[in-house]
Amino acid sequence: MFTKTPPPTPPPKGEGSSLAAASSQRSPSCGGSPSLLLLEQGKLLPPPVDIAAVRSTFLELESQAPALVAVLRADPRAANLLSAAIGGSLYLRDLILKDPRWTLECLSSDPEALFHSLLGELTTQRPSIPTDEHLMRKLRQLKVRGALLIALADVSGAWPIMRAARALTELADAMVKRAVDHLLTLARASGQLPGIDPANPGKNSRYVVLAMGKHGADELNFSSDIDLIVFYDPRSAAISQSVEPATFFVRLTKRLVRLLQDVTEDGYVYRVDLRLRPDPRATQIAIAIEAAAIYYENMGQNWERAAMIKARPIAGDLALGEEFLNRLKPYIWRKYLDFAAIADVQSLKRQIHAVKGHGKISVRGHNLKLGRGGIREIEFFVQTQQLIAGGRNPALRGRRTLEMLDALAAHRWISAKTAAEMQEDYRFLRLVEHRVQMVADAQAHELPDDDAGFAALSAFSGFADPADFNAALLKSFSRVQSHYSALFEGAPALGSDTGSLVFTGGEDDPETIATLTKMGFAQPSEIAATIRSWHFGRYAATRSARAKEILTEIMPALLQALSDTGDADRAFMAFDRFLSGLSAGVQIFSMLKANPQLLELLTRVLGIAPRLAEELSRRPKVLDAVLDHRFFDRLPERAELEELTAELISPVHTHEDALDQARIIGKEQMFRIGVRILSETVSAEEAGFAFSNLADVMIERLLIATRHDLSRRHGRIRGEKIAVIAMGKLGGREMTAGSDLDLILIYDTAAGAEVSNGSRPISVMQYFGRMAQRLISALSSPTPEGILYEVDLRLRPSGNKGPVASSLDSFIAYHRESAWTWERLALTRARVVAGNLDFRKTVERSIREALLRKSHDQILRADVVDMRRRMLRELGSTGVWDLKHARGGLVEIEFIAQFLQLLHAAENPDLLEQNTLAALTAASRHRLLAHEDAHTLLNACRLYHRLTQLLRLCVTGSFNPQQSVPGLRKLLSSAAGTPDIDHAEALLADTQAEVARIFDRLVAAL
């Protein structure tokens, strides 16, 4: 593997001589040097590229370290090794200059003996307890000594790469253990942990630190973070009764992190990462061990199972740690693993494609760890097969990568050739990884992409020729990638066309963040964190293993569908609210996986229609109706609604229960209609009739409940009769989502009836006034289930000045003698929707009679034009998308239809249709509208209704196409029958101009 070159000669003696010459001269080795065991065990290295750095360092050593200089003069092997270390690493250069005595000791000693001596300094018990500051200084000093010793043993080749990795792990173990023992000893001295053994503080402390990842596997790299998980047992900890366990152990862990991680003048010991613990966003940094066990056993994810393979107790109560890991064996090592679980495990591998060079094998700039064919692929190659097979074969449950490659080959999961090749590649890539990290003591993995940097790393890695180094790397990357790809051949894609989408672990995957950004998410990090919280089982719907596995599979399609709504973040948060309300997730996730159209519909609801999204979030069960295969066949008939409400809103329920049930039924049915509108599977007319049928049934059923409640309180009025008249959109069966109910309540009694017959009698006017108010309250008051409808009574006789309920006689008299033209126009849409059947017919006759009275042509025209002018003046218009009030908008079509009815109904009674389309059709049939005008008005009315149905679902306030989401613009364009929103806007402008011309011609010019 290495290209050997002759060693440099020692520098010449005499005045003016310099060690710097050692880097450029060659001569036979000199005798008489001390026993340099490290060098004897090592090999010669090519000269470094940065000769100037070597020369300047040697010059500094001449004045500072004569003993070291003597060794370098005496043995060219020492000069060769230090030249390589200094030329390849600024960090090692600084360590050598900072402590040349230790450097000499490293060169002159057996590395194994010296390393164990250093570890002994960490493990030796002291009679006195040092302060935190003293221990921090000591740990940092020993850390840099250990780093230099291990680096020189590694670079020289005296230690194979995995021995160096194990030494780094042993050093980390000792450092963490020393820090934990120190903190436990202090806690004992302060009386907080009185029951621990001062000679062995960790034993029976019921506080344990687990090493994870490379640390747990004895494979730590040169400048690695250490991944730790901290558990404690609050029930059996030897803790003072006055101490609260959770608070104490969390604070202890924070101090542990400070001891190891804080940067002082002596540097730091290790960067500590605690994010591999269960649900790190929601849990403390030290977790009660029983809670952790329950989490893993019930909610643990497959990536956490993979992580726990390498878990190893290293400090504190080691027996507690082993007990915990033994308990988790059934969780980690499943005997049977289905393919969905395997796919979920495979998703881990996608996280490694997160940096430059992942998509293809290009050596320059490639990531040794995460790139394609890199170290992580070898580790996942092993871990994945361990998860699949280890449940049935305990021999495959080891922590170390190379040993498990041997075990997989021995048990015929892979060939001996594959094992040997991957072992060779793993050792080589780990060696290069160490060299990259030694350069500046940084957790770096990228190969240099410039010639000078690549040549320097080549020499530091033992290659005299960068081309040979490049070829060796390419060979390893290609071979690893080939073996790994074969393992997951045919596995389902876990990304989108835009890029990788992976949400395992406790931190953001860089490429996933980039992918989310490209998909249109404005807060990709928050999105990723929320998805990870789903996988951590934050919601009931995502706690089962099966739910998590299916969610992993549908995630790319789900995020793409949310992105396609045009407001990805809003749609995502709506989906999160929806998910939070689900009691289970497997069924819905399976349905979404099997039915892409349902997924598209769901995300359309969440991203485009805030009314429906809010209802779905409050009542996720409303989606059950959509899952019914008959959902898109037809809308519920009125008889079905009556049967449903009769069962659930009956006099046997309390009044409050009736109100809640009405809201539940009403909201669910409105949701169903809204979904049909969004899915473009009903016409605007059908939707208007469906909304109106529902309102009719709700009013009728709540009137029954209200009458029952009122009679219970005040009795009945002799001969009482009541009818509810629907006006406006409800009267015309043209309701939309969120339409108000324009109502009038009419009553009659037996002759001579004056008061109710209950224990608390009230007058007739009070009785029906309260009935009207209670009905309004039943329809509109907020309850825990929300508001059903807003109710408007301003169309009653005398408007807001009149009583809330009118007697039949006063209603007839008012419309015969006092009604304004605008009230007569409104009356054309009056429809009796609830009350006593015979009385309803009486009221209908009185309405018809009022409308059949002859109207004066000129007065009617003048009044209609005056009304329209006032509306334009007072309400204005926000442009063509103000479909109702804009000049030529829906109001003018309605006025034309109502004007023709009032003007001609006396001669043509069948003109009296509450529905605008029906009224226009009748006018055309009687030739009161020219065919062309009727055609224009009918088409315009249908266009306005189609667009209005969508806008009421999807927009609160006025609509601005430039500020709307693309999904809504697409829907509106489709409803208008145009290719895009600009054409839809142009169509509206033309249509409104035509309607305005017809209004001016038929009624009067504005």
Side-chain angles (χ1 to χ4, degrees):
M1 180 181 293
F2 295 102
T3 303
K4 295 184 179 179
T5 57
T9 59
K13 297 180 181 180
E15 187 176 352
S17 66
S18 171
L19 278 171
S23 62
S24 59
Q25 298 186 24
R26 307 285 185 268
S27 70
S29 176
C30 299
S33 65
S35 175
L36 303 179
L37 293 179
L38 180 147
L39 300 173
E40 290 169 1
Q41 297 166 10
K43 60 186 71 178
L44 297 176
L45 298 166
V49 171
D50 192 354
I51 298 296
V54 177
R55 286 176 175 164
S56 65
T57 304
F58 280 8
L59 283 171
E60 288 188 56
L61 288 173
E62 274 194 293
S63 60
Q64 296 178 15
L68 177 58
V69 169
V71 170
L72 297 177
R73 291 179 188 277
D75 196 319
R77 293 169 301 173
N80 172 254
L81 175 56
L82 257 62
S83 293
I86 293 166
S89 166
L90 290 173
Y91 174 66
L92 295 182
R93 173 184 181 273
D94 289 343
L95 295 187
I96 290 166
L97 288 172
K98 186 176 182 180
D99 198 345
R101 282 192 179 187
W102 178 251
T103 304
L104 177 57
E105 196 164 353
C106 291
L107 294 175
S108 306
S109 305
D110 176 4
E112 289 288 353
L114 187 58
F115 181 67
H116 286 294
S117 173
L118 185 146
L119 292 182
E121 292 192 52
L122 284 167
T123 56
T124 302
Q125 290 289 325
R126 303 291 193 276
S128 60
I129 305 173
T131 63
D132 282 3
E133 289 68 26
H134 182 273
L135 180 66
M136 290 171 72
R137 188 178 311 114
K138 184 68 173 177
L139 292 178
R140 283 152 180 74
Q141 291 169 352
L142 292 176
K143 167 66 188 300
V144 296
R145 286 189 173 191
L148 181 58
L149 171 59
I150 295 169
L152 293 177
D154 183 354
V155 172
S156 71
W159 279 357
I161 182 61
M162 298 316 296
R163 173 64 189 106
R166 192 167 73 255
L168 289 165
T169 305
E170 291 168 355
L171 182 62
D173 286 357
M175 293 278 180
V176 176
K177 184 179 185 304
R178 181 72 182 88
V180 170
D181 285 351
H182 166 76
L183 293 172
L184 293 175
T185 302
L186 285 176
R188 178 182 182 276
S190 67
Q192 294 173 301
L193 280 177
I196 66 170
D197 180 359
N200 188 356
K203 184 178 181 182
N204 296 325
S205 65
R206 311 310 280 171
Y207 174 84
V208 63
V209 179
L210 300 186
M212 307 294 289
K214 283 187 169 66
H215 189 182
D218 294 321
E219 297 169 347
L220 211 56
N221 56 43
F222 189 78
S223 185
S224 179
D225 293 356
I226 55 173
D227 294 298
L228 306 177
I229 300 181
V230 179
F231 299 126
Y232 64 92
D233 187 352
R235 298 174 302 179
S236 59
I239 196 167
S240 169
Q241 290 185 350
S242 62
V243 175
E244 201 284 313
T247 302
F248 170 75
F249 285 117
V250 168
R251 288 177 178 171
L252 188 76
T253 305
K254 288 180 179 178
R255 287 182 68 187
L256 173 63
V257 172
R258 174 176 171 269
L259 289 176
L260 297 171
Q261 185 169 276
D262 277 12
V263 178
T264 71
E265 62 183 11
D266 298 301
Y268 69 99
V269 186
Y270 296 105
R271 295 175 295 268
V272 179
D273 192 334
L274 297 169
R275 289 175 294 180
L276 287 181
R277 69 187 185 273
D279 198 358
R281 283 166 60 93
T283 56
Q284 291 283 4
I285 56 176
I287 303 173
I289 201 160
E290 182 63 21
I294 291 171
Y295 167 83
Y296 285 120
E297 290 164 351
N298 293 281
M299 292 180 284
Q301 301 172 59
N302 278 317
W303 74 263
E304 290 174 300
R305 294 176 55 233
M308 293 305 291
I309 290 175
K310 296 188 175 185
R312 180 171 58 87
I314 61 166
D317 195 335
L318 303 183
L320 177 65
E322 293 295 349
E323 175 188 322
F324 175 75
L325 293 178
N326 284 332
R327 176 174 174 177
L328 288 193
K329 279 182 180 178
Y331 155 69
I332 302 170
W333 305 111
R334 293 187 197 170
K335 285 193 176 181
Y336 304 101
L337 201 65
D338 62 25
F339 285 102
I342 294 171
D344 189 51
V345 172
Q346 191 256 347
S347 74
L348 298 176
K349 180 259 182 184
R350 293 300 302 271
Q351 187 167 355
I352 74 178
H353 295 168
V355 291
K356 183 178 179 181
H358 78 268
K360 60 180 181 177
I361 299 175
S362 54
V363 171
R364 299 298 182 91
H366 200 68
N367 190 290
L368 288 159
K369 176 182 177 182
L370 303 178
R372 193 171 297 278
I375 294 165
R376 185 65 63 83
E377 286 199 353
I378 301 174
E379 293 169 342
F380 282 148
F381 178 91
V382 174
Q383 282 177 275
T384 307
Q385 294 181 89
Q386 284 183 274
L387 287 178
I388 294 169
R392 298 184 300 278
N393 189 345
L396 299 178
R397 298 179 184 179
R399 298 185 180 103
R400 296 176 180 174
T401 302
L402 297 180
E403 290 178 5
M404 286 301 98
L405 281 167
D406 280 332
L408 288 169
H411 292 272
R412 299 186 179 180
W413 280 89
I414 60 176
S415 69
K417 180 175 181 289
T418 297
E421 288 178 349
M422 295 200 85
Q423 286 173 330
E424 179 183 344
D425 294 330
Y426 188 70
R427 290 188 181 99
F428 174 52
L429 295 177
R430 288 298 308 272
L431 181 145
V432 179
E433 178 187 50
H434 273 206
R435 300 301 179 273
V436 169
Q437 294 188 348
M438 287 176 190
V439 171
D441 187 31
Q443 194 184 16
H445 301 94
E446 292 83 6
L447 293 165
D449 54 9
D450 62 296
D451 290 343
F454 192 78
L457 180 64
S458 173
F460 195 32
S461 300
F463 288 82
D465 187 346
D468 293 340
F469 186 44
N470 190 89
L473 286 164
L474 187 59
K475 175 185 175 184
S476 285
F477 292 146
S478 300
R479 199 158 61 178
V480 170
Q481 194 271 335
S482 176
H483 288 309
Y484 192 87
S485 296
L487 180 64
F488 290 112
E489 211 164 29
L494 292 167
S496 73
D497 293 339
T498 312
S500 186
L501 291 169
V502 177
F503 304 98
T504 57
E507 57 186 284
D508 289 341
D509 160 27
E511 185 177 347
T512 293
I513 297 302
T515 299
L516 291 171
T517 301
K518 283 187 281 186
M519 292 176 82
F521 290 94
Q523 296 180 300
S525 187
E526 188 61 30
I527 300 298
T530 301
I531 294 173
R532 287 198 299 274
S533 77
W534 297 347
H535 285 286
F536 280 119
R538 184 74 53 81
Y539 300 142
T542 63
R543 284 178 189 154
S544 76
R546 182 62 180 153
K548 291 171 189 172
E549 288 156 6
I550 303 173
L551 186 60
T552 296
E553 292 184 63
I554 68 170
M555 189 59 65
L558 171 63
L559 289 171
Q560 188 61 57
L562 293 170
S563 170
D564 289 344
T565 65
D567 191 341
D569 291 77
R570 185 178 75 173
F572 179 88
M573 297 317 295
F575 183 81
D576 180 63
R577 289 192 295 273
F578 162 69
L579 200 59
S580 70
L582 292 176
S583 58
V586 171
Q587 180 187 13
I588 182 62
F589 297 157
S590 299
M591 291 291 294
L592 295 176
K593 177 184 174 184
N595 190 339
Q597 290 75 26
L598 178 61
L599 176 60
E600 181 184 353
L601 179 60
L602 174 62
T603 54
R604 181 183 288 186
V605 166
L606 296 172
I608 297 177
R611 289 182 186 276
L612 298 184
E614 181 182 355
E615 181 59 23
L616 188 57
S617 299
R618 285 174 59 89
R619 297 183 185 84
K621 282 185 67 62
V622 299
L623 200 63
D624 290 347
V626 182
L627 301 180
D628 189 325
H629 68 278
R630 299 166 298 178
F631 178 78
F632 291 101
D633 292 347
R634 60 178 177 78
L635 290 166
E637 299 288 344
R638 178 168 181 140
E640 295 176 64
L641 295 174
E642 288 174 341
E643 182 180 349
L644 178 64
T645 55
E647 179 182 348
L648 295 176
I649 311 172
S650 67
V652 300
H653 294 104
T654 66
H655 190 61
E656 290 72 20
D657 285 343
L659 301 193
D660 282 339
Q661 287 298 326
R663 280 150 180 74
I664 291 170
I665 296 170
K667 294 288 188 180
E668 287 181 354
Q669 295 302 320
M670 290 178 202
F671 179 84
R672 296 184 66 168
I673 301 166
V675 169
R676 295 294 301 275
I677 293 169
L678 275 191
S679 63
E680 302 177 278
T681 57
V682 293
S683 67
E685 294 96 312
E686 289 172 323
F689 268 80
F691 278 126
S692 301
N693 276 340
L694 176 63
D696 288 356
V697 172
M698 288 291 127
I699 293 167
E700 185 173 42
R701 183 53 54 186
L702 288 174
L703 178 62
I704 293 171
T706 298
R707 293 180 79 174
H708 175 77
D709 185 58
L710 191 66
S711 67
R712 183 175 55 81
R713 296 168 182 266
H714 300 290
R716 306 294 290 265
I717 298 287
R718 182 164 52 87
E720 72 175 57
K721 297 175 182 178
I722 194 159
V724 179
I725 303 173
M727 309 287 283
K729 287 193 178 298
L730 174 56
R733 299 182 185 274
E734 297 167 357
M735 284 186 70
T736 65
S739 287
D740 293 352
L741 303 183
D742 293 298
L743 302 179
I744 300 174
L745 194 142
I746 307 296
Y747 67 88
D748 197 10
T749 65
E754 295 182 357
V755 294
S756 62
N757 61 9
S759 59
R760 289 181 291 170
I762 54 177
S763 70
V764 168
M765 184 172 289
Q766 284 180 305
Y767 187 88
F768 289 108
R770 290 188 184 183
M771 185 179 293
Q773 289 168 341
R774 284 179 175 276
L775 177 61
I776 295 167
S777 178
L779 290 164
S780 62
S781 293
T783 77
E785 297 296 336
I787 293 175
L788 190 56
Y789 297 105
E790 298 287 348
V791 178
D792 191 339
L793 297 181
R794 288 176 296 179
L795 292 179
R796 68 186 187 271
S798 300
N800 289 336
K801 296 178 181 178
V804 291
S806 301
S807 69
L808 177 62
D809 290 343
S810 66
F811 177 78
I812 293 171
Y814 181 84
H815 279 284
R816 184 176 59 241
E817 301 166 3
S818 307
W820 296 80
T821 297
W822 70 265
E823 291 175 303
R824 296 191 67 215
L825 290 170
L827 198 64
T828 62
R829 310 191 77 183
R831 183 170 59 87
V832 183
V833 297
N836 302 76
L837 187 59
D838 58 340
F839 188 56
R840 290 171 63 168
K841 293 178 180 179
T842 301
V843 174
E844 286 169 352
R845 283 195 299 272
S846 67
I847 294 171
R848 190 173 181 83
E849 289 168 3
L851 292 172
L852 290 177
R853 282 194 295 275
K854 183 68 177 175
S855 298
H856 188 282
D857 187 319
Q858 295 304 316
I859 294 175
L860 180 61
R861 289 179 190 276
D863 285 348
V864 171
V865 169
D866 180 61
M867 287 171 54
R868 184 64 184 125
R869 284 173 178 163
R870 271 190 294 142
M871 289 179 69
L872 288 171
R873 184 171 61 251
E874 294 172 8
L875 299 176
S877 171
T878 55
V880 297
W881 288 102
D882 187 354
L883 301 175
K884 181 176 181 180
H885 296 115
R887 184 75 232 275
L890 188 58
V891 163
E892 290 186 16
I893 296 177
E894 292 171 348
F895 274 6
I896 290 170
Q898 293 162 6
F899 167 78
L900 291 174
Q901 286 176 307
L902 293 184
L903 192 60
H904 300 290
E907 298 84 21
N908 304 285
D910 59 347
L911 283 176
L912 297 179
E913 297 278 0
Q914 295 99 346
N915 179 265
T916 304
L917 289 171
L920 291 171
T921 301
S924 176
R925 186 170 62 248
H926 285 278
R927 299 185 179 180
L928 302 173
L929 264 180
H931 175 74
E932 277 191 21
D933 287 349
H935 179 73
T936 297
L937 292 175
L938 287 168
N939 283 343
C941 190
R942 291 188 180 104
L943 172 65
Y944 296 161
H945 282 172
R946 290 196 302 272
L947 295 175
T948 300
Q949 288 288 2
L950 284 170
L951 289 172
R952 291 296 176 269
L953 274 179
C954 303
V955 178
T956 54
S958 58
F959 172 67
N960 183 335
Q962 283 68 46
Q963 296 175 359
S964 65
V965 296
L968 177 56
R969 294 198 295 271
K970 182 179 178 182
L971 269 179
L972 290 169
S973 302
S974 175
T978 59
D980 54 45
I981 199 70
D982 291 336
H983 284 83
E985 195 164 291
L987 174 63
L988 275 177
D990 291 345
T991 301
Q992 289 167 357
E994 290 181 16
V995 170
R997 283 194 290 271
I998 293 172
F999 181 92
D1000 291 350
R1001 188 171 68 252
L1002 288 180
V1003 183
L1006 292 177

